[in-house]
Amino acid sequence: MGVATLTPITLFLLFVAFADAIGPFACDPKDSTTPALPFCKVSMPISERVNDLVGRLTLQEKVRLLINGAAAVPRLGIKGYEWWSEALHGVSDVGPGTRFGGAFPGATSFPQVITTAASFNATLWEAIGRVVSDEARAMYNGGTAGLTYWSPNVNIFRDPRWGRGQETPGEDPVLAGTYAAFYVRGLQGGDGDRLKVAACCKHFTAYDLDNWHGVDRFHFNAKVSKQDIEDTFDVPFKMCVQDGNVASVMCSYNEVNGIPTCADPNLLRNTVRGQWKLDGYIVSDCDSVGVFYNTQHYTATPEQAAASAIKAGLDLDCGPFLAQHSEDAVKQGLLKEVDINNALVNTLRVQMRLGMFDGEPSAQPYGNLGPKDVCSPSNQELALEAARQGIVLLKNRGPSLPLSHLHHQTVAVIGPNSDATVSMIGNYAGVACGYTSPLQGIGKYAKTIHQIGCADVACRDDMLFGAAIDAAGRADATILVMGLDQSIEAEFRDRKGLYLPGRQEELVSKVAKASRGPTILVLMSGGPIDVSFAKNDPRIATILWAGYPGQAGGAAIADVLYGTTNPGGKLPMTWYPQEYVSNLAMTNMAMRSSLRRNYPGRTYRFYKGPVVYPFGHGLSYTNFVHNIVGAPNVVTVPLYGHRRSGNTTVLGKAIKVNHARCNKLSVGLQVNVKNTGSKDGTHTMLVFSTPPAGHWAPHKQLIAFAKVHVPAGMEQQVGISIHVCKFLSVVDVSGVRRIPIGVHHLHIDNIKHPVSLQAETLGVIKS
């Protein structure tokens, strides 16, 4: 059912009325005074325009621009601006900068990020970003949205209980970083220095706990080693800044090693802006500055807190704190006005790159975007395709899928998520263009018998079991749509365990026992679920994971069930058994396992225990075979000139990355992928590396991935380039990234190829 019931002509007239009423943000050509000011001159370099504007502001005006609800400066013709908008997987109304209604009753709601990540398709992520930014620009032109979007969330899904894991691209840093770079490119556009919208990678850093056993994100001090910071937690942010050229980074609520991230100059000024060269602004998570003063008691006075944040490198406060206390911080000598100027230079530069000081929006690039570009048929088709690509086939005994139109004409559709709509879009979502529930999607292929089985996902009793069991006995096949929703996992709601909630498992088993035909279990969730019972039950023929598949999720699920789509998704996170978390504190941030401490380690890179389904698992309706036809056996790592100093180039047979000539140092692979089955399919090829044995190295790590469509019986060749310094390096205990010398084994499914990395020289160099 769609939200847009107005005719196209009515929508257009509403849009024109909104746009005329709003006018430009600044530098209005109808204003007789401001267009002549230098900061309004488009012909001038942006840096000069920004400096001119900052020089015209009073201190009182400046501090009111340091917050998300930035105040107007009427004497300079500048309107107020709300910086906080969200676009995690579609334009959202979570932030106050965006609202739906009038000409824009909804926007395309793509699958939740964890689902889209399962596609391992970087071009898809960029395409989604382009559509989201089209719709965002259209809504900005109509006066109902901003241009600064605090998305994506690229934190590592470290613990399977984390309620916000659904928002992330999963547990692997390279996957998360690649997602960040491509989605940000799609959002921000490719028009040189000009921005289509300004994206923001969040929450920096080591943020992956919301509320667990009385410990919440506002009070949590994440104790993280230098090794894990460099090796895991910071990788997606670095890739977001350096590869994606993101316009903003958001610091998080938590402390890292005793210092609030939004008050840590080493993290903000030295790392994000200094080492990574962020061209943009740094913003706090909402009320973070107030949190580190009022809750974490990091400073004695609010003025000290304001000064600490700004001097650490914070440019914008989501919340009122900096507007309330920065002026007094200057008066007390804790802060200099030039520090505030530097913060404003970063925010105003982004606004000018967005064209907000270029006069009438309709005369600018993207000024033609309007209601026709929101919820368009092509946008909604991309949402459907994204859901198809993100679905993961976990089990297919027999095989029982795809279902047959001939043999499975009547289907029982059972479960608390069987007719889900809003639940399918997860959190940080907006108002969808419309929904296709699983029941509706399956109904396009077969006659359905619908029984919910449980009143909701909590499934507290068995009162509705009888009708569901009866339906399974009358149908040619039974599809159970079970799992979680935002009542179980969400922001500020971490899970207690990994089993299906309540009595869901009991319902599944009883229905499977009574089912006349094959039983298919479809799971909706952001986090992994321990479904060992279903994996091991021969009466449950098939298990599908759909994540939170977005507005078209039901259609995508049905397309996979009936073979219109051949599934190609792979799990972006490990599915652990419940025993894994039984004695594992979420507050323990260590990634690496420790036998001495009886600590299992985190993620597939460091955990070697039993799993329900491993990272990267995913089946197809066909079979693919790989053959490496081109790859080097030896690669020489060239080093910079060597001069005597106390810092050796090679330590424990591992070269410091900053001592190697990294620029064009790569390993090229040519891989033939053959489809040996009877169905066309798109294959997700994951390339892992096992470094030479050593204390620093992960068991294995993802270094590349690719999507390739291969018709049945055909073969395609895929070329992959692996940057040695980025992807074949490891991090030592001091947080120094090094390239291990020796044999690295490259894995693609069950085939391996050894590559020996050799140092050009074993001399010593000047650090």
Side-chain angles (χ1 to χ4, degrees):
M1 179 176 184
V3 297
T5 56
L6 301 176
T7 67
I9 294 175
T10 304
L11 288 171
F12 176 75
L13 292 173
L14 281 168
F15 169 66
V16 171
F18 272 126
D20 285 346
I22 290 158
F25 167 73
C27 304
D28 190 340
K30 298 172 186 174
D31 187 325
S32 60
T33 56
T34 56
L37 296 173
F39 69 80
C40 289
K41 295 185 181 298
V42 180
S43 59
M44 287 177 56
I46 285 179
S47 59
E48 294 181 19
R49 297 171 68 194
V50 169
N51 289 336
D52 176 76
L53 175 53
V54 171
R56 295 174 184 276
L57 296 169
T58 66
L59 177 59
Q60 291 74 24
E61 289 168 336
K62 290 173 183 176
V63 298
R64 291 196 290 269
L65 297 179
L66 293 173
I67 60 173
N68 64 292
V73 187
R75 68 183 184 86
L76 296 178
I78 300 171
K79 294 181 179 179
Y81 179 69
E82 177 53 67
W83 285 82
W84 181 8
S85 290
E86 302 278 355
L88 183 67
H89 51 108
V91 179
S92 166
D93 57 355
V94 169
T98 303
R99 64 187 185 278
F100 291 108
F104 301 98
T108 308
S109 191
F110 289 90
Q112 181 61 286
V113 175
I114 195 70
T115 310
T116 310
S119 72
F120 283 85
N121 188 343
T123 57
L124 173 67
W125 303 333
E126 186 170 1
I128 292 172
R130 284 196 298 270
V131 166
V132 173
S133 57
D134 278 349
E135 298 195 347
R137 265 285 174 173
M139 293 180 67
Y140 172 76
N141 292 341
T144 63
L147 289 177
T148 46
Y149 288 84
W150 293 347
S151 305
N153 178 342
V154 297
N155 292 117
I156 296 297
F157 199 169
R158 174 187 61 92
D159 190 291
R161 294 163 291 190
W162 187 31
R164 300 188 73 178
Q166 61 181 290
E167 302 172 28
T168 77
E171 71 181 36
D172 182 82
V174 170
L175 171 60
T178 305
Y179 176 88
F182 277 85
Y183 185 60
V184 165
R185 288 176 197 168
L187 286 175
Q188 295 189 168
D191 189 10
D193 198 36
R194 179 175 285 273
L195 294 168
K196 189 178 180 186
V197 303
C200 173
C201 279
K202 64 184 185 184
H203 313 79
F204 186 69
T205 184
Y207 168 68
D208 49 23
L209 177 149
D210 269 66
N211 189 10
W212 178 81
H213 282 211
V215 180
D216 66 42
R217 60 189 182 179
F218 307 122
H219 297 84
F220 181 49
N221 177 22
K223 297 177 182 178
V224 190
S225 70
K226 292 180 180 179
Q227 185 177 40
D228 287 341
I229 282 280
E230 174 66 27
D231 186 45
T232 299
F233 297 109
D234 281 6
V235 171
F237 293 94
K238 183 177 183 180
M239 293 177 70
C240 186
V241 173
Q242 296 189 334
D243 300 339
N245 297 311
V246 74
S248 176
V249 169
M250 176 184 286
C251 51
S252 54
Y253 288 115
N254 55 290
E255 296 175 275
V256 172
N257 299 325
I259 305 174
T261 64
C262 293
D264 191 339
N266 183 55
L267 291 178
L268 306 187
R269 190 173 299 282
N270 297 347
T271 301
V272 175
R273 196 170 297 284
Q275 295 175 29
W276 301 345
K277 309 299 181 187
L278 172 71
D279 182 8
Y281 69 99
I282 298 174
V283 61
S284 74
D285 205 341
C286 294
D287 293 320
S288 284
V289 183
V291 165
F292 79 65
Y293 169 66
N294 291 305
T295 303
Q296 296 167 356
H297 307 297
Y298 184 68
T299 63
T301 68
E303 294 78 19
Q304 289 173 343
S308 295
I310 292 172
K311 289 196 289 188
L314 189 71
D315 302 308
L316 187 71
D317 178 19
C318 179
F321 199 91
L322 291 187
Q324 294 168 344
H325 303 292
S326 296
E327 184 177 355
D328 285 342
V330 172
K331 292 177 180 177
Q332 293 175 22
L334 301 170
L335 191 64
K336 295 179 181 178
E337 189 168 351
V338 69
D339 297 320
I340 294 175
N341 293 349
N342 291 337
L344 292 179
V345 164
N346 294 323
T347 54
L348 293 172
R349 172 170 162 74
V350 167
Q351 287 185 309
M352 289 195 180
R353 291 172 65 197
L354 287 163
M356 293 174 66
F357 286 83
D358 293 354
E360 191 62 54
S362 61
Q364 299 176 33
Y366 317 116
N368 62 325
L369 294 171
K372 70 182 187 307
D373 302 293
V374 180
C375 289
S376 69
S378 61
N379 293 0
Q380 296 195 62
E381 179 61 31
L382 184 63
L384 173 58
E385 180 58 26
R388 290 171 178 148
Q389 292 195 28
I391 291 173
V392 182
L393 179 60
L394 298 175
K395 173 185 176 181
N396 193 19
R397 189 177 60 83
S400 296
L401 287 185
L403 294 174
S404 163
H405 294 276
L406 182 63
H407 298 111
H408 306 113
Q409 296 181 3
T410 301
V411 177
V413 183
I414 295 168
N417 281 330
S418 59
D419 200 21
T421 53
V422 176
S423 295
M424 295 193 299
I425 61 178
N427 69 351
Y428 277 80
V431 178
C433 310
Y435 297 99
T436 303
S437 73
L439 178 64
Q440 291 171 322
I442 295 164
K444 293 180 181 178
Y445 285 94
K447 179 183 176 183
T448 60
I449 306 171
H450 182 226
Q451 291 293 335
I452 197 168
C454 299
D456 52 34
V457 296
C459 200
R460 294 181 178 88
D461 58 55
D462 64 354
M463 292 178 62
L464 303 177
F465 281 19
I469 292 167
D470 178 68
R474 294 187 287 118
D476 300 321
T478 298
I479 301 166
L480 287 140
V481 191
M482 313 297 287
L484 316 179
D485 63 16
Q486 302 306 301
S487 69
I488 304 296
E489 55 177 356
E491 184 170 14
F492 218 66
R493 183 176 290 125
D494 296 327
R495 291 160 66 194
K496 294 178 174 63
L498 303 183
Y499 289 132
L500 284 168
R503 300 177 71 172
Q504 282 196 41
E505 181 176 324
E506 181 185 349
L507 173 64
V508 172
S509 296
K510 287 184 174 179
V511 166
K513 187 175 181 179
S515 182
R516 193 177 75 190
T519 300
I520 296 104
L521 175 60
V522 178
L523 297 167
M524 285 191 195
S525 72
I529 304 171
D530 183 351
V531 287
S532 301
F533 81 97
K535 178 183 178 182
N536 298 325
D537 188 343
R539 294 169 300 190
I540 299 171
T542 302
I543 305 174
L544 277 178
W545 178 69
Y548 293 121
Q551 65 175 49
I557 290 168
D559 287 347
V560 170
L561 292 173
Y562 277 87
T564 303
T565 295
N566 189 348
K570 304 284 187 182
L571 289 178
M573 72 298 204
T574 303
W575 282 39
Y576 303 91
Q578 171 63 27
E579 291 72 26
Y580 173 77
V581 299
S582 293
N583 295 301
L584 180 61
M586 276 190 77
T587 50
N588 191 326
M589 300 294 291
M591 296 300 298
R592 286 158 172 78
S593 61
S594 170
L595 286 174
R596 180 177 57 83
R597 294 184 290 115
N598 195 31
Y599 183 71
R602 304 278 190 175
T603 78
Y604 80 93
R605 296 166 67 227
F606 303 108
Y607 169 70
K608 294 184 75 172
V611 299
V612 181
Y613 291 108
F615 175 91
H617 176 72
L619 306 174
S620 171
Y621 295 153
T622 189
N623 298 301
F624 297 98
V625 176
H626 304 92
N627 182 28
I628 298 177
V629 295
N633 294 108
V634 178
V635 173
T636 299
V637 180
L639 306 179
Y640 287 105
H642 52 286
R643 295 188 293 271
R644 179 63 56 184
S645 87
N647 198 339
T648 58
T649 299
V650 177
L651 174 64
K653 296 185 178 179
I655 300 169
K656 291 179 73 172
V657 163
N658 62 2
H659 290 175
R661 296 180 183 270
C662 290
N663 193 28
K664 296 181 179 179
L665 185 60
S666 63
V667 174
L669 293 182
Q670 294 296 321
V671 183
N672 284 350
V673 181
K674 186 172 184 179
N675 184 340
T676 61
S678 60
K679 297 182 183 297
D680 297 351
T682 299
H683 179 52
T684 303
M685 187 173 74
L686 307 183
V687 184
F688 295 92
S689 168
T690 298
H695 179 69
W696 308 328
H699 307 312
K700 66 175 183 177
Q701 57 190 14
L702 183 72
I703 56 174
F705 51 89
K707 298 285 281 192
V708 55
H709 182 77
V710 189
M714 303 298 287
E715 187 174 67
Q716 297 283 354
Q717 189 166 108
V718 181
I720 288 180
S721 180
I722 300 162
H723 194 286
V724 170
C725 295
K726 282 186 179 180
F727 302 125
L728 296 183
S729 57
V730 299
V731 177
D732 69 20
V733 293
S734 299
V736 177
R737 189 167 286 277
R738 296 179 179 271
I739 305 166
I741 297 303
V743 177
H744 295 242
H745 288 96
L746 309 185
H747 309 244
I748 304 173
D749 280 352
N750 59 351
I751 61 171
K752 290 185 180 181
H753 177 80
V755 176
S756 178
L757 299 186
Q758 299 181 356
E760 180 183 64
T761 175
L762 299 182
V764 293
I765 70 174
K766 189 174 182 179
S767 297

